Amino acid sequence: MQESSLKRLSRFVFTYWPFLLLSTFAALFYVVFNSASVWVTATMINNILIDFNDMLVDNKRLLSLNELSMNDRLKLYSNSILLKDTAIDTVSTVCAALIFIFAAKNISLYIKNISLSVVQYKLIRDLRNRLYAHFHHLSLSYFNKNKSGKLTSVLVSDVDNIKNSLTQIFQKLFVEPLNIVFLISLLFIISKKLAVIALLIIPISGLIIFSVASSIRRRAERGQAQLAGITSIITETISSIRIVKAFATKFFEINRFAKETQKYYKLMLRKDRLSFISSPISETLAASIASVLLWVGARDVLVNQSITSEDFLRFILLLFSLFRPLKSLGNVVNQLQNGLASADRIFAIMDTKSDINDIENPYNISDLNEKISFNNVSFSYEKNDKKVLDNISFEIKKGEVIALVGPSGAGKSTLVDLLPRFYDASGGSIEIDNKNLKEIKLNSLRSLMGIVTQETLLFDDSIRGNIAYGAETVSDKKIEKAAIAANAHEFILNLPDGYNTIIGENGVSLSGGQKQRIAIARAIVNNPPILILDEATSSLDSESEKHVQLAIENLMNERTVVVIAHRLSTVHNANKILVIDDGKIVQKGNHKELVSTNGLYKELHKMQFQT
Ligand code: ATP
């Protein structure tokens, strides 16, 4: 699983290859200039410390040699640029060279970093866009199972997490290994013997430092957890302080708290003991390495004269530059795992397929010509759950108004959710003009329907934008017509900027009834032949109620309507009322018929509609 996430993530990252290539070249230049800066610094120090004539003599010696080692060649090359006739001229050239090298090194570093930033930010932009687009392809049942908090955290935190760990990984896995290889090669070029000794000691001391550091980290994490435990005791007891007092358990609570703080004290002290000792350990280890090398190197310089003091100086400087990249490679594995865990969560969502899809070559429909029919429809939210709808059959003829009534939890909302295929029926079939819903192109099916739900969601946009929602091409005339039909035109004109008034969080706030009328206008702006209405149960004042009622009555003309009815006028106007109870149709008929028959409708009517 992890490996495949790594591969997939890499595939994503490599789509930005031009920037990666640029970054790689810049990294290479950085590494070369970085080593050159150490090299020339050694030349500079050497130049100041030893007699200039000795340098000229040494250069002559090099020039006279028949067989040149790599180190000799490099020195000859750098001498050819840096070594001048006089000491002071040489110092000037070295100074100029140092300025050039440091400038070049840092420009390369900048180019490397900025091109990697481009890759990272492009990556998170594209990952977020893909993930967000994928959310819109998923069916409602997915959102029932996965809470919005979790999905938001993947979209925001996990994507960010990938960026953060990529920053680390790129820096470390990209540049540092190059740097290390380059520096170690130079060490070998200067002195094989010293390089071998150094490479034997460094991993051992590295291991010691690494294990101390990870032990500190573990303790710090445990300390964090312990602190969280302490905080929860505090909030727990403070919020239930009445109970603590009532049960006279204050000493019990004080003891419990003291035990936790004692644990925290011990943990943190142990952590500090380790962390305060880690720096002396690493410093002593570094000093020991340096001393061993100095001892061996100094013998080679002074006694055996097998290495020049300039080479030795350069070796030590290069060796010290090796420590930082080595150290930073230390916890790269942790960061990689952290990023991959986030990648796993992201790819898990991307891999989820919607359970509501178009078949191959679906029908495209543009109108309702005859009827909608439900044939023995059953439905349950989860495979083996109780049936929420059980063997439902009925027909809606074009132009009819069908009202659904029934107690709370009877299945009315579920029933209307099957029409736009928010969910697919588990058994039976639903047909529009004798075509199974599943064979109709989802977009064409949904564009036949205007839907008004109980909660009216308004966007932080103008009234016009809210009514046209998503359809930028809707003409002003159409918007106004919809608003008139929704009985909203008048109040809109009375708003400060009319149709351009911004509503929602940052704008004018509307009353419940006004919001509903905007939602109704939105549902009908494209003049859909089928209207699905879930009348709001929330109580509106009688004035608003009247306006909304009027709007709904307007809508019912010339349209096929399925309405979950909570208003008396709605049931009166319906051609057919379906009484639903516990997932079944228990009564069918018009208001007159049903109210004169003993049954659920009569009871509900008494409770719900007569006040
Ligand atoms: P109300 O008038 O209160 O809105 P309703 O008649 O519209 O009720 P539904 O919302 O369709 O009833 O719910 C029918 C049954 O399905 C209820 O038992 C409800 O608990 C269950 N239910 C509704 N939505 C889900 C869901 N997303 N997942 C699982 N069960 C659900």
Side-chain angles (χ1 to χ4, degrees):
M1 180 76 189
Q2 287 228 329
E3 197 197 336
S4 83
S5 282
L6 182 63
K7 263 194 205 156
R8 289 172 73 173
L9 203 57
S10 316
R11 214 164 348 108
F12 249 101
V13 173
F14 281 113
T15 48
Y16 316 108
W17 64 267
F19 292 96
L20 285 176
L21 201 65
L22 179 63
S23 186
T24 313
F25 275 115
L28 264 173
F29 277 111
Y30 167 74
V31 166
V32 171
F33 284 119
N34 187 37
S35 303
S37 69
V38 179
W39 186 280
V40 177
T41 307
T43 311
M44 178 73 159
I45 298 172
N46 197 42
N47 195 8
I48 292 166
L49 289 184
I50 70 165
D51 186 4
F52 180 67
N53 285 329
D54 285 353
M55 286 178 77
L56 292 179
V57 170
D58 193 46
N59 197 43
K60 270 201 191 116
R61 181 186 63 82
L62 287 176
L63 282 169
S64 66
L65 286 177
N66 285 333
E67 238 176 74
L68 287 170
S69 68
M70 190 65 184
N71 187 31
D72 294 337
R73 273 171 223 254
L74 283 174
K75 277 201 307 195
L76 264 180
Y77 178 69
S78 74
N79 282 350
S80 72
I81 300 171
L82 302 172
L83 203 60
K84 301 290 168 202
D85 295 338
T86 62
I88 198 71
D89 278 356
T90 305
V91 169
S92 313
T93 322
V94 171
C95 286
L98 276 177
I99 294 173
F100 169 76
I101 289 170
F102 273 92
K105 169 179 143 180
N106 284 296
I107 290 171
S108 317
L109 186 67
Y110 174 77
I111 297 176
K112 181 210 79 177
N113 283 341
I114 203 77
S115 44
L116 279 187
S117 287
V118 172
V119 172
Q120 286 161 23
Y121 288 113
K122 270 178 186 276
L123 177 78
I124 60 169
R125 179 196 66 191
D126 296 349
L127 264 183
R128 281 211 174 106
N129 286 348
R130 278 239 206 158
L131 203 56
Y132 185 72
H134 191 72
F135 280 164
H136 285 279
H137 284 113
L138 291 171
S139 65
L140 271 191
S141 53
Y142 181 80
F143 293 94
N144 288 337
K145 276 182 241 149
N146 296 280
K147 296 286 160 263
S148 64
K150 180 190 144 192
L151 300 179
T152 316
S153 122
V154 174
L155 194 59
V156 178
S157 319
D158 279 327
V159 174
D160 234 40
N161 209 7
I162 286 204
K163 190 223 132 221
N164 289 339
S165 58
L166 274 188
T167 317
Q168 299 287 331
I169 293 163
F170 270 136
Q171 298 296 351
K172 291 176 179 175
L173 288 187
F174 229 57
V175 187
E176 302 304 19
L178 266 179
N179 222 348
I180 291 170
V181 168
F182 213 81
L183 288 169
I184 290 182
S185 313
L186 280 177
L187 290 183
F188 272 96
I189 285 172
I190 295 172
S191 164
K192 278 199 194 79
K193 182 175 152 194
L194 290 180
V196 170
I197 297 174
L199 289 188
L200 282 179
I201 311 175
I202 290 173
I204 299 169
S205 43
L207 216 65
I208 298 173
I209 295 170
F210 182 68
S211 65
V212 171
S214 53
S215 176
I216 294 173
R217 205 186 49 243
R218 274 199 307 277
R219 271 167 228 278
E221 277 164 12
R222 259 185 270 154
Q224 276 302 322
Q226 191 65 32
L227 197 61
I230 294 176
T231 322
S232 83
I233 293 185
I234 299 172
T235 44
E236 210 177 278
T237 33
I238 290 183
S239 61
S240 47
I241 195 81
R242 272 170 169 276
I243 299 175
V244 176
K245 284 194 186 303
F247 282 80
T249 49
K250 85 175 159 198
F251 291 113
F252 169 75
E253 287 298 343
I254 292 170
N255 266 336
R256 187 158 77 108
F257 190 72
K259 267 189 209 150
E260 294 297 314
T261 50
Q262 175 65 12
K263 266 194 229 159
Y264 182 71
Y265 158 79
K266 278 191 175 162
L267 260 176
M268 293 324 269
L269 196 63
R270 241 184 282 157
K271 187 205 94 178
D272 270 8
R273 250 190 250 141
L274 266 178
S275 84
F276 290 141
I277 206 152
S278 86
S279 147
I281 287 181
S282 34
E283 204 170 307
T284 314
L285 278 174
S288 312
I289 297 171
S291 305
V292 171
L293 287 171
L294 269 177
W295 183 73
V296 179
R299 280 173 65 88
D300 280 353
V301 175
L302 301 173
V303 183
N304 306 335
Q305 297 195 336
S306 57
I307 180 171
T308 64
S309 58
E310 182 187 352
D311 287 342
F312 185 55
L313 185 65
R314 198 164 275 141
F315 185 91
I316 294 288
L317 288 181
L318 286 169
L319 187 68
F320 279 122
S321 339
L322 193 60
F323 286 146
R324 193 193 47 79
L326 276 180
K327 200 173 146 201
S328 83
L329 267 185
N331 57 351
V332 71
V333 177
N334 258 343
Q335 267 143 357
L336 187 67
Q337 273 169 348
N338 193 5
L340 283 181
S342 288
D344 279 347
R345 284 190 285 271
I346 292 172
F347 290 132
I349 295 180
M350 283 192 184
D351 290 344
T352 311
K353 298 247 177 327
S354 171
D355 43 13
I356 309 282
N357 292 306
D358 275 333
I359 58 160
E360 249 176 68
N361 304 321
Y363 291 113
N364 238 320
I365 55 170
S366 55
D367 205 354
L368 169 68
N369 296 317
E370 200 188 329
K371 61 174 185 190
I372 303 171
S373 45
F374 279 66
N375 312 311
N376 306 315
V377 171
S378 313
F379 178 79
S380 44
Y381 279 96
E382 292 290 334
K383 253 190 190 145
N384 299 319
D385 274 8
K386 177 181 173 289
K387 281 184 181 169
V388 173
L389 297 175
D390 191 6
N391 213 18
I392 300 266
S393 298
F394 65 96
E395 266 188 15
I396 312 167
K397 295 211 171 61
K398 182 182 166 118
E400 264 186 348
V401 174
I402 301 281
L404 305 178
V405 294
S408 178
K412 305 177 296 286
S413 308
T414 309
L415 185 61
V416 296
D417 279 350
L418 299 184
L419 260 182
R421 278 189 80 196
F422 289 156
Y423 305 100
D424 273 340
S426 339
S429 67
I430 305 169
E431 291 172 354
I432 289 189
D433 294 337
N434 301 319
K435 289 189 185 80
N436 194 317
L437 287 195
K438 290 182 186 171
E439 293 165 3
I440 300 171
K441 197 171 170 34
L442 208 55
N443 268 346
S444 79
L445 172 74
R446 289 184 181 163
S447 60
L448 285 191
M449 300 173 191
I451 302 174
V452 184
T453 55
Q454 284 205 9
E455 318 96 66
T456 45
L457 178 66
L458 295 186
F459 301 93
D460 213 346
D461 194 355
S462 63
I463 297 257
R464 182 191 310 279
N466 264 286
I467 296 179
Y469 179 54
E472 277 150 23
T473 50
V474 179
S475 67
D476 286 355
K477 215 169 161 197
K478 250 177 139 181
I479 291 175
E480 214 175 288
K481 212 171 143 202
I484 293 170
N487 203 18
H489 181 62
E490 249 171 65
F491 90 78
I492 294 172
L493 288 185
N494 283 332
L495 291 172
D497 292 319
Y499 279 86
N500 294 323
T501 310
I502 303 290
I503 50 175
E505 239 170 69
N506 297 320
V508 174
S509 51
L510 301 178
S511 75
Q514 289 171 329
K515 281 186 196 162
Q516 278 182 21
R517 283 181 275 159
I518 300 282
I520 291 170
R522 180 192 292 157
I524 56 170
V525 72
N526 282 320
N527 208 13
I530 303 168
L531 201 68
I532 298 174
L533 264 172
D534 194 346
E535 283 184 340
T537 43
S538 60
S539 55
L540 297 174
D541 60 64
S542 54
E543 184 65 21
S544 301
E545 167 102 33
K546 228 170 35 199
H547 285 303
V548 174
Q549 220 165 53
L550 224 99
I552 293 179
E553 277 162 30
N554 280 343
L555 302 181
M556 290 183 175
N557 297 330
E558 302 159 27
R559 275 200 186 82
T560 310
V561 181
V562 182
V563 52
I564 300 178
H566 298 286
R567 293 194 179 88
L568 188 58
S569 61
T570 313
V571 285
H572 276 178
N573 286 334
N575 301 94
K576 203 189 298 169
I577 299 166
L578 302 180
V579 186
I580 318 256
D581 190 20
D582 202 15
K584 296 187 184 69
I585 300 181
V586 290
Q587 282 184 294
K588 245 187 233 185
N590 64 27
H591 175 67
K592 255 195 193 155
E593 290 161 6
L594 291 175
V595 87
S596 58
T597 320
N598 281 336
L600 184 59
Y601 184 80
K602 202 169 167 183
E603 279 171 43
L604 282 174
H605 185 257
K606 250 192 243 158
M607 283 189 321
Q608 211 171 335
F609 300 120
Q610 287 180 345
T611 43

